[in-house]
Amino acid sequence: MLQDLLAEPGWQEALKYEFKKPYIKDLYRFIKSEYEKHTIYPNWENIFLALNLCPLNKTKVVIIGQDPYHNPKQATGLAFGVPSKEPLPPSLNNIFKEVETDLNIKPEKNGNLSRWAEQGVLLLNTTLTVRQNQPTSHQNKGWEILTDTIINIISEQKSNIVFILWGKLAQSKKNLIHKSNHLILESPHPSPLSAYRGFFGNRHFSQTNSYLVQNKIKAIDWK
């Protein structure tokens, strides 16, 4: 079953009732068939990598993406991330540019973002799987119900979380977040189509760390 891929105990507990809902069975049947018949990303065992690397009780920051990269050798299970030796996709390259100008540091040109996830940055796509070369192909199959629940759980159960919403899809999740308990940062998406309309210069990385430190939470090393 789908929940068998979720190894992190805190998330297992938080989602145990969600996994009993009927839509989860339909979603599982759908994606199981897709993995059997087509090339699907990320690898089956990495569908919940974002949750497995970033326990609920250690989450400090949530960055919301859309769906996994649909080209070969890119999707890892972490929003925006790619495997270590893969070339940086344009959006991730722009993210690193903003890190550099915002914090005056040279980030590693390494797209494996597990180094962020392990510090408490939940890199959550709203849809967790995709068919090769078919972007958005797994939207509206049930993933969004689950990922909305995840966002809502963090908002309800945690305080002083930084939610980073890049682009309209991510910003549509704002109504799931208790604004009085958390910091919400919004800007255009880092894609080359929109980065120059306000992503560059948004200073989200320094704002995130300032907020965390103000609330006596260890800052993120964004290198």
Side-chain angles (χ1 to χ4, degrees), residues 59-115:
T59 299
K60 304 175 183 179
V61 180
V62 181
I63 299 178
I64 297 176
Q66 186 165 319
D67 56 355
Y69 295 116
H70 58 87
N71 293 321
K73 299 182 181 179
Q74 288 191 314
T76 62
L78 301 178
F80 296 103
V82 293
S84 299
K85 294 180 181 178
E86 287 301 306
L88 298 182
S91 290
L92 184 56
N93 193 47
N94 286 340
I95 289 168
F96 285 166
K97 284 180 182 177
E98 179 59 23
V99 169
E100 183 171 355
T101 56
D102 183 13
L103 300 175
N104 198 27
I105 59 173
K106 275 273 189 194
E108 293 181 36
K109 294 297 185 183
N110 175 351
N112 182 352
L113 299 183
S114 60
R115 63 188 185 275

Side-chain angles (χ1 to χ4, degrees), residues 6 8 11 15 48-56 122 124 150:
L6 183 57
E8 203 287 307
W11 281 115
L15 293 168
F48 288 128
L49 186 66
L51 300 178
N52 287 333
L53 288 185
C54 185
L56 176 59
L122 182 64
L124 183 69
I150 290 166

Side-chain angles (χ1 to χ4, degrees), residues 8 15 18 22 30 44 46 58 70 76 88 98 112 142 150-151 184 209 220:
E8 203 287 307
L15 293 168
E18 196 68 19
F30 167 74
W44 177 259
N46 289 334
K58 294 184 178 177
H70 58 87
T76 62
L88 298 182
E98 179 59 23
N112 182 352
I150 290 166
I151 294 165
I184 300 174
N209 280 353
I220 304 296

Side-chain angles (χ1 to χ4, degrees), residues 14-204:
L15 293 168
K16 65 183 180 182
Y17 296 114
E18 196 68 19
F19 279 122
K20 293 178 180 177
K21 293 182 178 178
Y23 83 89
I24 290 286
K25 292 179 183 176
D26 294 337
L27 174 59
Y28 177 71
R29 278 194 292 267
F30 167 74
I31 64 163
K32 191 166 184 293
S33 171
E34 285 284 287
Y35 274 88
E36 288 168 356
K37 296 175 183 175
H38 305 281
T39 300
I40 306 298
Y41 301 124
N43 291 339
W44 177 259
E45 65 272 15
N46 289 334
I47 288 174
F48 288 128
L49 186 66
L51 300 178
N52 287 333
L53 288 185
C54 185
L56 176 59
N57 66 351
K58 294 184 178 177
T59 299
K60 304 175 183 179
V61 180
V62 181
I63 299 178
I64 297 176
Q66 186 165 319
D67 56 355
Y69 295 116
H70 58 87
N71 293 321
K73 299 182 181 179
Q74 288 191 314
T76 62
L78 301 178
F80 296 103
V82 293
S84 299
K85 294 180 181 178
E86 287 301 306
L88 298 182
S91 290
L92 184 56
N93 193 47
N94 286 340
I95 289 168
F96 285 166
K97 284 180 182 177
E98 179 59 23
V99 169
E100 183 171 355
T101 56
D102 183 13
L103 300 175
N104 198 27
I105 59 173
K106 275 273 189 194
E108 293 181 36
K109 294 297 185 183
N110 175 351
N112 182 352
L113 299 183
S114 60
R115 63 188 185 275
W116 293 0
E118 289 164 355
Q119 295 179 73
V121 180
L122 182 64
L123 295 155
L124 183 69
N125 281 317
T126 56
T127 302
L128 298 185
T129 55
V130 71
R131 196 185 288 187
Q132 180 178 310
N133 298 328
Q134 295 185 41
T136 73
S137 50
H138 285 186
Q139 285 186 1
N140 303 314
K141 303 296 183 183
W143 279 131
E144 295 90 343
I145 304 172
L146 180 61
T147 54
D148 281 2
T149 300
I150 290 166
I151 294 165
N152 192 246
I153 285 170
I154 296 169
S155 177
E156 292 278 351
Q157 296 188 15
K158 304 275 290 181
S159 57
N160 305 129
I161 301 293
V162 182
F163 288 88
I164 297 179
L165 312 180
W166 294 329
K168 289 181 180 175
L169 180 81
Q171 288 159 16
S172 73
K173 306 300 179 180
K174 193 163 53 169
N175 65 328
L176 301 170
I177 303 163
H178 292 301
K179 299 169 186 62
S180 58
N181 296 341
H182 307 286
L183 176 64
I184 300 174
L185 299 175
E186 301 178 68
S187 83
H189 195 275
S191 150
L193 297 173
S194 55
Y196 287 96
R197 297 189 208 138
F199 174 79
F200 288 132
N202 66 23
R203 307 211 62 181
H204 282 179

